[in-house]
Amino acid sequence: MAADARLLDESAAHLYAQALVAIVRADGEIGLEEGARLAEKLEARSGQPANLDDLLLAEPLDPTTLADALRNASGPFRGGGGLHPGELAAMIVVDAISVVLAKGHVSEEEAQQIVRYATALGCTLDEIRRMSAHLSPWFAANIR
């Protein structure tokens, strides 16, 4: 499943990283535990050490911009590493919940951001619930 995949394409890995940072900072701050887990997830997906300073200083990535960038990078002769938007959405949902749970809960703002990114990538609310059910029953039950 995509939730266990590695992002081989550098541009897709950067888009993923920007989306994850935007979600994690949705409630206004990134705690020490969240920061450590964020760096771990980014490195696991890209195979490269994460440069959190650059990501935190960059403008937040809008979900629509993410979807457009991925759509423009896909196709038989373009980048994107053959990544389907649904695969990236699954990575974002699973990893974002894992990161924000480092502080013990998913905030309403974080949950809303996760839904915004996943739906921008073409997922339905039912698909998001299925992706998140094993990580946080609270989150899966409260997706609106």
Side-chain angles (χ1 to χ4, degrees), residues 7-144:
L7 293 164
L8 301 176
D9 181 78
E10 189 175 319
S11 63
H14 187 70
L15 291 170
Y16 158 85
Q18 288 180 291
L20 217 59
V21 167
I23 292 166
V24 175
R25 68 177 359 168
D27 66 352
E29 65 181 77
I30 298 177
L32 185 60
E33 297 86 5
E34 286 176 300
R37 194 167 296 172
L38 176 62
E40 175 186 301
K41 291 293 180 185
L42 296 176
E43 186 171 339
R45 291 290 184 192
S46 70
Q48 305 281 328
N51 188 341
L52 286 180
D53 290 337
D54 287 347
L55 287 168
L56 293 171
L57 292 173
E59 286 294 316
L61 178 67
D62 182 79
T64 304
T65 304
L66 169 65
D68 290 344
L70 189 62
R71 190 174 13 264
N72 293 335
S74 62
F77 304 108
R78 295 190 181 148
L83 186 66
H84 184 275
E87 293 174 308
L88 183 60
M91 290 178 196
I92 290 171
V93 169
V94 169
D95 291 351
I97 294 170
S98 176
V99 171
V100 300
L101 282 177
K103 69 177 177 303
H105 69 282
V106 178
S107 74
E108 184 68 28
E109 298 87 1
E110 292 162 339
Q112 289 173 1
Q113 279 290 82
I114 291 169
V115 170
R116 286 183 66 220
Y117 280 95
T119 56
L121 292 170
C123 293
T124 66
L125 293 179
D126 284 339
E127 289 171 328
I128 298 167
R129 282 186 192 98
R130 282 193 296 274
M131 287 180 219
S132 61
H134 65 291
L135 293 173
S136 175
W138 176 90
F139 179 77
N142 290 289
I143 295 174
R144 292 179 228 127

